[in-house]
Amino acid sequence: MSVTREYDLIIFGATGFTGQYVVEEVARIAEEENITWAVAGRNIEKIKVGLENVEKQTGKSLKDVGVIKADVGDLNSLNEMAKKGRIVLNCVGPYRFHGEAVVNACVKNGTNHLDISGEPQFLEKMQLDYHTAAKENNCYVVGACGFDSIPSDMGTVFLEQQFAGQVNTVEAYLNIKAEHGFHLNYGTWQSAIHGFACANELKPLRKKLFPQRLPVMEPKLKSFQCSSIIAAILTILSAVVFGLLASFKVGRSLLEKYPKVLSFGVFDHKGPTKEEIDGTSFVLTLVGKGWNEKLTEPTDAYSNKPEKELVVRVSGPELGYVTTPICMIQAALVLLREADKLPSEGGVYPPGAAFAKTSLINRLIKNGINFETGLRSSL
């Protein structure tokens, strides 16, 4: 996108629970990265109070930060917001309810759009409905640019870069360490409720996205592991209760009304405290298996079982409100500076496809998210 815009970045939903942490992260790096930016939302006074709080938290002067009034219920305001920025960072969820109007405004106005959705139905619907229009308007729509799914996507890219052969399968294992307890904000819980309730939307969506059946993958991956029998039982029971309640209207109402009780303390309206955030970290372990040699043709098949394994570990600080803003902002900076390394001339992509050939991994490492290779062996 070559049109001159007033701002490099616009954070939409700046007063939301996650949005405020994204604002803090941009405030921290804006001067060093030499970017212009603005915050947007429906309540200007609340935005200004939020900026004052960020000034106190970061010690940075934000007097030159733009303030834009925009509301998902007012399409004109979304169009006006999109016209002012090179990239809109959309932090307003659940995205299945509030996301498409923002994507539509961005694509219509040739503005890049990044979000931190982890909602498969939304992400895949945007790919189906807006990929062609985004290409025509030379802009990028990249979803899942937070903990969902940059550590896993870019971890897989890193694994492939280090593998020196052909990767066949990748297994992922997530370990969360919380010294002072761990829980997340209500918005994530609400997204999960409605995502599960509408899971039947995925199959017809994917049939349209991928009309030709993908090849059968062998060997089959292990789908689930827990650290102990007790942990497995508790996880299964929690999933069963959640699944039953999310499958009908009254149950969804109960889940939304009593998040703390029905999530066993993991979700509530307040979100985590600073002490909880500071004491939380994650390790994502990716185990790649494959062969030493690549086949000449992609349609060829190996006659032997996978013979090689490589372990990659991606680790970093608290995943929802520290790692997520870092991932989102660094992805935005890559899009600003390295658009020529992204696929084609626009479109709707997941992070791994969008940023595979960019410096995103190096940027993440410099900002406290580590990528390292572990055990390499023959199978």
Side-chain angles (χ1 to χ4, degrees):
M1 185 188 68
S2 58
V3 180
T4 301
R5 301 292 176 100
E6 188 174 354
Y7 303 108
D8 293 318
L9 307 179
I10 296 174
I11 304 167
F12 180 51
T15 59
F17 195 87
T18 306
Q20 64 187 337
Y21 289 103
V22 174
V23 173
E24 282 187 24
E25 183 62 19
V26 175
R28 186 180 68 81
I29 57 88
E31 185 177 358
E32 179 185 349
E33 295 287 350
N34 191 28
I35 57 171
T36 56
W37 61 293
V39 292
R42 60 187 177 182
N43 188 323
I44 296 297
E45 291 306 312
K46 194 174 179 182
I47 289 174
K48 290 179 178 178
V49 171
L51 287 175
E52 290 173 5
N53 291 334
V54 171
E55 281 190 320
K56 293 174 185 176
Q57 289 286 338
T58 63
K60 303 285 186 179
S61 172
L62 304 183
K63 61 182 178 64
D64 295 328
V65 175
V67 176
I68 301 169
K69 184 176 176 63
D71 189 334
V72 291
D74 181 350
L75 299 184
N76 287 332
S77 72
L78 295 180
N79 282 313
E80 290 304 309
M81 173 185 71
K83 290 174 184 176
K84 294 179 179 178
R86 295 176 66 189
I87 303 176
V88 168
L89 305 178
N90 185 4
C91 301
V92 179
Y95 291 89
R96 70 176 295 110
F97 300 133
H98 308 303
E100 184 169 0
V102 187
V103 172
N104 184 287
C106 286
V107 172
K108 185 186 298 183
N109 291 284
T111 304
N112 300 301
H113 175 282
L114 302 185
D115 66 53
I116 47 176
S117 171
E119 304 167 41
Q121 296 97 324
F122 168 76
L123 295 166
E124 294 178 35
K125 187 176 188 297
M126 294 307 97
Q127 185 179 356
L128 181 66
D129 292 347
Y130 291 94
H131 182 69
T132 300
K135 288 187 74 172
E136 290 171 352
N137 289 343
N138 195 25
C139 62
Y140 290 93
V141 176
V142 187
C145 287
F147 181 79
D148 273 343
S149 293
I150 281 184
S152 56
D153 273 27
M154 300 313 295
T156 301
V157 169
F158 183 73
L159 190 151
E160 287 193 299
Q161 291 171 348
Q162 303 295 318
F163 197 79
Q166 178 63 57
V167 178
N168 181 56
T169 59
V170 179
E171 297 179 56
Y173 305 89
L174 176 62
N175 186 302
I176 299 172
K177 182 180 179 182
E179 295 178 0
H180 308 293
F182 173 77
H183 72 285
L184 298 166
N185 183 253
Y186 172 77
T188 305
W189 175 248
Q190 193 178 32
S191 296
I193 292 168
H194 292 280
F196 188 93
C198 301
N200 60 342
E201 296 174 3
L202 277 173
K203 190 172 182 179
L205 265 176
R206 287 172 178 171
K207 280 188 175 180
K208 292 178 182 178
L209 269 175
F210 310 107
Q212 291 186 336
R213 189 177 181 87
L214 295 174
V216 176
M217 183 63 68
E218 295 290 347
K220 298 291 185 183
L221 294 178
K222 299 173 184 176
S223 58
F224 178 77
Q225 287 191 357
C226 272
S227 57
S228 69
I229 277 289
I230 294 174
I233 291 171
L234 290 174
T235 301
I236 292 167
L237 285 174
S238 301
V240 168
V241 171
F242 179 85
L244 286 172
L245 291 175
S247 62
F248 60 97
K249 187 175 180 179
V250 174
R252 290 192 291 276
S253 177
L254 288 171
L255 287 168
E256 291 182 316
K257 191 173 183 179
Y258 304 107
K260 191 168 186 177
V261 173
L262 293 174
S263 70
F264 303 97
V266 175
F267 295 92
D268 64 23
H269 288 279
K270 294 180 180 179
T273 64
K274 185 178 186 304
E275 183 183 37
E276 288 173 329
I277 290 173
D278 291 345
T280 302
S281 60
F282 78 90
V283 176
L284 177 67
T285 302
L286 302 170
V287 182
K289 297 177 183 179
W291 296 273
N292 287 302
E293 301 294 333
K294 291 189 176 185
L295 294 173
T296 306
E297 298 293 333
T299 53
D300 291 346
Y302 287 91
S303 58
N304 58 318
K305 292 182 179 180
E307 60 195 6
K308 181 179 180 182
E309 177 181 288
L310 179 65
V311 177
V312 161
R313 292 182 181 87
V314 183
S315 59
E318 192 277 339
L319 46 135
Y321 312 109
V322 182
T323 290
T324 285
I326 291 171
C327 289
M328 189 182 210
I329 301 311
Q330 294 306 316
L333 292 171
V334 164
L335 182 49
L336 281 175
R337 308 273 162 74
E338 303 176 39
D340 60 318
K341 296 179 182 177
L342 272 68
S344 78
E345 296 177 347
V348 182
Y349 299 95
F355 302 122
K357 297 179 180 179
T358 70
S359 65
L360 180 55
I361 290 173
N362 289 334
R363 280 184 164 273
L364 293 172
I365 291 170
K366 289 178 182 177
N367 284 273
I369 299 173
N370 301 309
F371 290 71
E372 56 186 347
T373 54
L375 177 67
R376 186 193 303 264
S377 64
S378 294
L379 298 177

Coordinates of all heavy atoms in Angstrom, one line a residue, residues 203-234:
K203 N -16.8 -27.0 9.3 CA -16.8 -28.0 8.2 C -17.2 -27.4 6.8 O -16.5 -27.5 5.8 CB -17.6 -29.2 8.5 CG -17.4 -30.4 7.6 CD -18.1 -31.6 8.1 CE -17.8 -32.8 7.1 NZ -18.4 -34.1 7.6
P204 N -18.4 -26.7 6.7 CA -18.7 -26.2 5.4 C -17.8 -25.0 5.0 O -17.6 -24.9 3.8 CB -20.2 -25.6 5.7 CG -20.4 -25.6 7.1 CD -19.5 -26.7 7.7
L205 N -17.3 -24.3 6.0 CA -16.3 -23.2 5.6 C -15.1 -23.8 5.0 O -14.6 -23.3 3.9 CB -15.9 -22.5 6.9 CG -16.6 -21.2 7.3 CD1 -16.1 -20.7 8.6 CD2 -16.5 -20.1 6.2
R206 N -14.6 -24.9 5.6 CA -13.3 -25.5 5.1 C -13.6 -26.2 3.7 O -12.6 -26.3 2.9 CB -12.8 -26.5 6.1 CG -12.2 -25.7 7.3 CD -11.8 -26.6 8.5 NE -11.2 -25.7 9.5 CZ -10.9 -26.2 10.7 NH1 -11.2 -27.4 11.1 NH2 -10.4 -25.3 11.6
K207 N -14.8 -26.7 3.5 CA -15.0 -27.3 2.2 C -15.0 -26.3 1.1 O -14.5 -26.5 0.0 CB -16.4 -28.0 2.2 CG -16.4 -29.3 2.9 CD -17.8 -30.0 2.7 CE -17.7 -31.4 3.2 NZ -19.1 -32.1 3.0
K208 N -15.4 -25.0 1.4 CA -15.3 -23.9 0.4 C -13.9 -23.4 0.3 O -13.4 -23.1 -0.8 CB -16.2 -22.8 0.8 CG -17.7 -23.1 0.8 CD -18.5 -21.9 1.3 CE -20.0 -22.3 1.2 NZ -20.8 -21.2 1.7
L209 N -13.1 -23.4 1.4 CA -11.7 -22.9 1.3 C -10.8 -23.9 0.6 O -10.0 -23.6 -0.1 CB -11.2 -22.7 2.8 CG -11.4 -21.3 3.4 CD1 -10.9 -21.3 4.8 CD2 -10.6 -20.2 2.6
F210 N -11.1 -25.2 0.9 CA -10.2 -26.3 0.4 C -11.1 -27.3 -0.3 O -11.4 -28.4 0.2 CB -9.4 -26.9 1.5 CG -8.7 -26.0 2.3 CD1 -9.1 -25.7 3.6 CD2 -7.6 -25.3 1.9 CE1 -8.4 -24.8 4.4 CE2 -6.9 -24.4 2.6 CZ -7.3 -24.2 3.9
P211 N -11.6 -27.0 -1.5 CA -12.5 -27.9 -2.2 C -11.9 -29.3 -2.6 O -12.6 -30.3 -2.6 CB -12.9 -27.2 -3.5 CG -11.8 -26.1 -3.7 CD -11.4 -25.8 -2.3
Q212 N -10.6 -29.3 -2.7 CA -9.9 -30.6 -2.9 C -9.4 -31.1 -1.6 O -8.8 -30.4 -0.8 CB -8.8 -30.4 -3.9 CG -9.2 -30.1 -5.3 CD -8.0 -30.1 -6.3 OE1 -6.9 -29.9 -5.9 NE2 -8.3 -30.3 -7.6
R213 N -9.7 -32.4 -1.3 CA -9.3 -33.0 -0.1 C -7.8 -33.0 0.1 O -7.0 -33.3 -0.9 CB -9.8 -34.4 0.0 CG -9.7 -35.1 1.4 CD -10.3 -36.5 1.4 NE -10.1 -37.1 2.7 CZ -11.0 -37.0 3.7 NH1 -12.0 -36.2 3.5 NH2 -10.8 -37.6 4.8
L214 N -7.3 -32.6 1.3 CA -5.9 -32.7 1.5 C -5.3 -34.1 1.7 O -6.1 -35.0 2.0 CB -5.5 -31.9 2.8 CG -5.8 -30.4 2.7 CD1 -5.6 -29.7 4.1 CD2 -5.0 -29.7 1.7
P215 N -4.1 -34.3 1.4 CA -3.5 -35.7 1.5 C -3.6 -36.2 2.9 O -3.6 -35.4 3.9 CB -2.0 -35.5 1.1 CG -2.0 -34.2 0.4 CD -3.0 -33.4 0.9
V216 N -3.8 -37.5 3.1 CA -3.8 -38.1 4.4 C -2.4 -38.1 5.0 O -1.5 -38.5 4.4 CB -4.4 -39.6 4.3 CG1 -4.3 -40.3 5.7 CG2 -5.8 -39.6 3.8
M217 N -2.3 -37.7 6.2 CA -1.0 -37.6 6.9 C -0.7 -38.8 7.7 O -1.6 -39.3 8.5 CB -1.0 -36.3 7.8 CG 0.4 -36.1 8.5 SD 1.7 -35.8 7.3 CE 1.2 -34.2 6.7
E218 N 0.5 -39.4 7.5 CA 0.9 -40.6 8.3 C 2.3 -40.3 8.8 O 3.1 -39.6 8.2 CB 1.0 -41.8 7.4 CG -0.4 -42.3 6.9 CD -1.3 -42.8 8.0 OE1 -0.8 -43.1 9.1 OE2 -2.5 -43.0 7.7
P219 N 2.6 -40.7 10.1 CA 1.7 -41.4 11.0 C 0.8 -40.4 11.7 O 1.0 -39.2 11.7 CB 2.7 -42.0 12.0 CG 3.8 -41.1 12.0 CD 4.0 -40.6 10.6
K220 N -0.3 -40.9 12.3 CA -1.2 -40.0 13.0 C -0.5 -39.5 14.3 O 0.2 -40.2 15.0 CB -2.5 -40.8 13.4 CG -3.3 -41.4 12.3 CD -3.9 -40.3 11.5 CE -4.8 -40.8 10.4 NZ -5.5 -39.8 9.6
L221 N -0.8 -38.2 14.6 CA -0.2 -37.6 15.7 C -1.0 -37.9 17.0 O -2.2 -38.1 16.9 CB -0.2 -36.1 15.6 CG 0.7 -35.5 14.5 CD1 0.6 -34.0 14.4 CD2 2.2 -35.9 14.7
K222 N -0.3 -37.9 18.1 CA -1.0 -38.0 19.4 C -1.8 -36.7 19.6 O -1.3 -35.6 19.5 CB 0.0 -38.2 20.5 CG 0.8 -39.4 20.4 CD 1.9 -39.5 21.5 CE 2.8 -40.7 21.3 NZ 3.9 -40.7 22.3
S223 N -3.1 -36.8 20.0 CA -3.9 -35.6 20.0 C -3.9 -34.9 21.4 O -4.2 -33.7 21.4 CB -5.4 -36.0 19.7 OG -5.8 -37.0 20.7
F224 N -3.5 -35.6 22.5 CA -3.7 -35.0 23.8 C -2.8 -35.7 24.8 O -2.7 -36.9 24.8 CB -5.1 -35.0 24.2 CG -5.4 -34.4 25.6 CD1 -5.4 -33.1 25.7 CD2 -5.6 -35.2 26.7 CE1 -5.6 -32.5 27.0 CE2 -5.8 -34.7 27.9 CZ -5.8 -33.3 28.1
Q225 N -2.1 -34.9 25.6 CA -1.3 -35.5 26.7 C -1.4 -34.6 27.9 O -1.5 -33.4 27.8 CB 0.2 -35.7 26.3 CG 0.4 -36.8 25.3 CD 1.9 -37.1 25.2 OE1 2.8 -36.4 25.8 NE2 2.2 -38.1 24.4
C226 N -1.4 -35.2 29.1 CA -1.4 -34.4 30.3 C -0.2 -34.9 31.2 O 0.3 -36.0 31.0 CB -2.7 -34.6 31.1 SG -3.9 -33.4 30.6
S227 N 0.1 -34.0 32.2 CA 1.3 -34.4 33.1 C 1.0 -35.5 34.0 O 1.9 -36.1 34.6 CB 1.7 -33.1 33.8 OG 0.6 -32.6 34.6
S228 N -0.3 -35.8 34.3 CA -0.6 -36.8 35.3 C -2.0 -37.3 35.0 O -2.8 -36.6 34.3 CB -0.5 -36.3 36.7 OG -1.5 -35.4 37.0
I229 N -2.4 -38.4 35.6 CA -3.7 -39.0 35.5 C -4.7 -38.0 36.1 O -5.8 -37.8 35.5 CB -3.8 -40.3 36.2 CG1 -3.3 -41.5 35.3 CG2 -5.2 -40.6 36.7 CD1 -4.3 -41.8 34.2
I230 N -4.4 -37.4 37.2 CA -5.3 -36.5 37.9 C -5.6 -35.3 37.0 O -6.7 -34.8 36.8 CB -4.8 -36.0 39.3 CG1 -4.8 -37.2 40.2 CG2 -5.6 -34.9 39.8 CD1 -4.1 -36.9 41.6
A231 N -4.5 -34.7 36.4 CA -4.6 -33.6 35.5 C -5.5 -33.9 34.3 O -6.3 -33.1 33.8 CB -3.2 -33.1 35.1
A232 N -5.3 -35.1 33.8 CA -6.1 -35.6 32.6 C -7.5 -35.7 33.0 O -8.4 -35.2 32.2 CB -5.5 -36.9 32.1
I233 N -7.8 -36.3 34.1 CA -9.3 -36.4 34.5 C -9.9 -35.0 34.7 O -11.0 -34.8 34.2 CB -9.3 -37.2 35.8 CG1 -8.9 -38.7 35.6 CG2 -10.8 -37.2 36.4 CD1 -8.8 -39.5 36.8
L234 N -9.2 -34.1 35.4 CA -9.8 -32.8 35.6 C -10.0 -32.0 34.3 O -11.0 -31.3 34.1 CB -8.8 -32.0 36.5 CG -8.8 -32.4 38.0 CD1 -7.7 -31.6 38.8 CD2 -10.1 -32.2 38.7

